[in-house]
Amino acid sequence: MTHKKLRLIYNPHAGRRKLVNELDTVIRIFQEGGYEVNVHRTQSPEDIENTAAHCADMDTVVVAGGDGSIHQAVNGLMKIPMEERPILGILPVGTANDLAFALKLPKSIAAACEVIANGATFDMDLGKVNNRYFVNVASAGLLTDISPKVDVRVKNRLGQLAYYLKGIETLPSFRPFHVQFEQNDRKYSEDAILLLAVNGLSVGGLRQLVPKASLSDGKLDFLLIKQSDWPETMRLLLKVLGGGKVGSSNMVQFQTKHVSISCERPVSSDLDGEWGPDSPWEIQIGPKITVLC
């Protein structure tokens, strides 16, 4: 009997170490599904990307972790030619698990393994900023460089609340940034506090921020919050964090396949909770990747 080859890349610290306690169950379900299982315990985000990039001999690569781990794996897989690229499977054991929510993956590890073993596939859009891919969101500005700074132990204890608490710390020292870009024959020149290019259905666990978004429509949902007085800024942010419908003259929002953005000073970006490239940015819809769901 010929077995399909599967490499499991897991983050031992993700989500209160949930996978560690169920590793034997995970391997059993995959083996019963006809897979020859190879397990890699990752040591760093860079290790995830490098390991995924060397999986051309695999049929399937399964990533156990959060959106950041998936981000690293996808950037590794995209280095493999399309005709040799393995299918991506996801075990959602991270903090927010935005992509897993969009793909309607079960929260149970065993049930998510069964989804992978059953083999149903979906061709999912990727976003791209300069030379880096993202699966869910590219962001810059207020609250967006938080995830890489939050200690993994704090993430595991407090979950998404850890991001918001860390974000409050940044408010007194935050500096707005000036952006320039063109879209739909209109030129924008704005002082911004927050910029988002969203591919998925939620950001940081906020399920209603982009309710019409799709993982397969070939478009990104772009949101920009302009600088205004702090009462108005806080009102907008509380609406965003509260998951309510957001509309304001201080917000720019549209769908796009591509936008070029320049800034008056270098501004860092965040891709799926991991550090992204500094400005200027070419933000665009990328190719598709096949995932199991």
Side-chain angles (χ1 to χ4, degrees), residues 149-182:
K149 295 178 180 177
V150 178
D151 185 274
V152 66
R153 292 167 296 183
V154 177
K155 286 184 186 180
N156 287 342
R157 286 199 304 270
L158 301 180
Q160 291 162 227
L161 178 61
Y163 298 133
Y164 305 138
L165 292 176
K166 187 70 176 178
I168 292 171
E169 293 180 17
T170 70
L171 290 176
S173 60
F174 178 75
R175 292 172 57 203
F177 56 104
H178 190 78
V179 298
Q180 292 183 315
F181 59 96
E182 294 185 25

Side-chain angles (χ1 to χ4, degrees), residues 137-140 143-148 268-277:
V137 61
S139 58
L143 307 179
T144 63
D145 64 347
I146 294 168
S147 183
S268 61
S269 68
D270 176 296
L271 307 183
D272 300 320
E274 302 292 323
W275 292 115

Side-chain angles (χ1 to χ4, degrees), residues 32-234:
E32 290 175 352
Y35 282 106
E36 176 185 323
V37 182
N38 175 286
V39 179
H40 180 84
R41 180 186 186 276
T42 184
Q43 301 177 49
S44 67
E46 296 76 19
D47 181 39
I48 297 174
E49 181 169 337
N50 182 62
T51 301
H54 290 87
C55 285
D57 59 335
M58 296 288 148
D59 298 290
T60 301
V61 170
V62 176
V63 182
D67 293 310
S69 297
I70 298 167
H71 167 87
Q72 299 290 353
V74 163
N75 275 278
L77 289 173
M78 295 305 290
K79 296 175 183 177
I80 300 174
M82 184 176 65
E83 62 274 12
E84 301 176 18
R85 189 178 303 143
I87 296 173
L88 174 65
I90 298 167
L91 296 183
V93 295
T95 303
N97 299 313
D98 286 313
L99 181 60
F101 167 78
L103 292 172
K104 299 180 180 179
L105 295 177
K107 295 181 180 179
S108 158
I109 291 176
C113 289
E114 294 287 357
V115 167
I116 293 168
N118 289 337
T121 61
F122 171 69
D123 289 333
M124 179 183 78
D125 291 335
L126 294 177
K128 190 175 185 183
V129 178
N130 297 355
N131 64 344
R132 294 289 293 176
Y133 296 99
F134 65 94
V135 295
N136 194 63
V137 61
S139 58
L142 188 64
L143 307 179
T144 63
D145 64 347
I146 294 168
S147 183
K149 295 178 180 177
V150 178
D151 185 274
V152 66
R153 292 167 296 183
V154 177
K155 286 184 186 180
N156 287 342
R157 286 199 304 270
L158 301 180
Q160 291 162 227
L161 178 61
Y163 298 133
Y164 305 138
L165 292 176
K166 187 70 176 178
I168 292 171
E169 293 180 17
T170 70
L171 290 176
S173 60
F174 178 75
R175 292 172 57 203
F177 56 104
H178 190 78
V179 298
Q180 292 183 315
F181 59 96
E182 294 185 25
Q183 188 65 209
N184 299 328
D185 299 321
R186 179 179 173 184
K187 293 184 178 181
Y188 293 86
S189 181
E190 306 286 356
D191 288 324
I193 63 167
L194 177 63
L195 181 154
L196 300 171
V198 184
N199 184 47
L201 305 186
S202 65
V203 177
L206 305 176
R207 308 306 194 199
Q208 299 301 319
L209 186 59
V210 281
K212 295 183 180 180
S214 167
L215 284 170
S216 59
D217 64 354
K219 296 178 182 178
L220 298 171
D221 284 79
F222 184 91
L223 296 90
L224 181 146
I225 296 180
K226 305 176 190 178
Q227 181 188 18
S228 58
D229 57 72
W230 277 111
E232 171 64 9
T233 297
M234 290 305 299

